[in-house]
Amino acid sequence: MRAILDFGRAVEAPALPGHDGGVELPSIPDIAALAKTLGRTAPFDGAKRFFLCGHSLGAALAIEIAKSAPERIAGLVLVAPPGLGAPIDTRFVADFLAGAEAARAAAALAKLVARPDRISAAFRQQTIRRLGDPDRVARLRRVAEACLTASIAMGPAIAALQCPVSILWGREDRVLAPPAFDAIPSVADFALVAAAGHLLPVERPAALARHLAAFIEEHSEGKA
């Protein structure tokens, strides 16, 4: 995905706290605490304005960061954020975090996409191997219980944002079903992407890149 993000400006892709490559989880891993922890890492520790894109849990953290530092956010693109409409499929979460039960993990991976054949054998094997690590699974379970399966409502937070907002969703998302159009705050643009499930950035990377490029072009400083 990052290889096709050529916007003529720097692109950063920080890992989420508690995930591979990310910093340690805060003691209470709710959305606000995760966002605060992430906000203390590069590239958020500078003074520049930037566009921010987040997917799923990352979208929820992006909303929190935009709330806490509105003067730094030029625009926000949210891909399948939780807390709008239907709750996350808890069966998916349970299967994904089943640890060494490879069959359940494989079933969960298939549910992430519109077409399961888009999950390569190498990606499937790598993911299942990582989910066999009890410490990793314990971290992810703490995050899921506090931030994904808990009842949250992101609509009011989005409605209060002071920057341009665009929301994308895979039309065939079976993990976090697309919300009804009237559930989307009026401040945000909303589009469904065909032939994509919850892993829209993996299934339709070119579509997401085009959307990001158009959004950045439209809302860059100096534009009408």
Side-chain angles (χ1 to χ4, degrees):
M1 177 70 201
R2 185 170 179 172
I4 63 174
L5 297 180
D6 183 10
F7 304 136
R9 61 180 69 203
V11 176
E12 299 283 350
L16 301 186
H19 292 62
D20 290 347
V23 296
E24 290 295 317
L25 285 174
S27 56
I28 301 176
D30 60 13
I31 289 173
L34 285 173
K36 187 174 182 179
T37 299
L38 181 62
R40 290 196 292 263
T41 67
F44 302 105
D45 56 356
K48 295 181 179 179
R49 281 171 55 83
F50 52 85
F51 290 91
L52 188 56
C53 176
H55 168 242
S56 195
L57 173 60
L61 302 193
I63 294 167
E64 285 292 323
I65 290 172
K67 284 170 52 182
S68 64
E71 73 284 354
R72 299 191 57 204
I73 307 300
L76 204 58
V77 174
L78 308 171
V79 182
L84 289 176
I88 194 168
D89 179 355
T90 54
R91 175 63 182 272
F92 160 80
V93 176
D95 285 344
F96 191 76
L97 298 177
E101 297 182 47
R104 292 179 66 185
L109 281 173
K111 191 177 284 189
L112 278 167
V113 291
R115 288 175 43 189
D117 61 339
R118 288 174 171 157
I119 298 291
S120 69
F123 181 82
R124 185 183 301 109
Q125 292 167 4
Q126 181 184 55
T127 301
I128 291 173
R129 184 173 63 252
R130 287 177 173 173
L131 293 174
D133 178 349
D135 291 337
R136 177 181 282 113
V137 169
R139 291 196 305 271
L140 294 178
R141 182 171 288 114
R142 289 177 64 203
V143 172
E145 290 174 350
C147 304
L148 295 177
T149 58
S151 177
I152 57 175
M154 301 303 293
I158 294 172
L161 292 175
Q162 302 176 32
C163 63
V165 183
S166 183
I167 299 174
L168 291 183
W169 221 290
R171 188 184 297 275
E172 299 176 54
D173 194 331
R174 293 179 290 157
V175 172
L176 194 59
F181 279 83
D182 60 7
I184 303 299
S186 60
V187 299
D189 295 328
F190 179 53
L192 292 171
V193 179
H198 191 64
L199 277 187
L200 188 158
V202 173
E203 288 195 277
R204 300 294 308 279
L208 177 55
R210 287 193 298 270
H211 186 87
L212 284 169
F215 182 82
I216 291 171
E217 173 66 19
E218 178 180 0
H219 297 292
S220 291
E221 293 182 2
K223 293 292 182 180

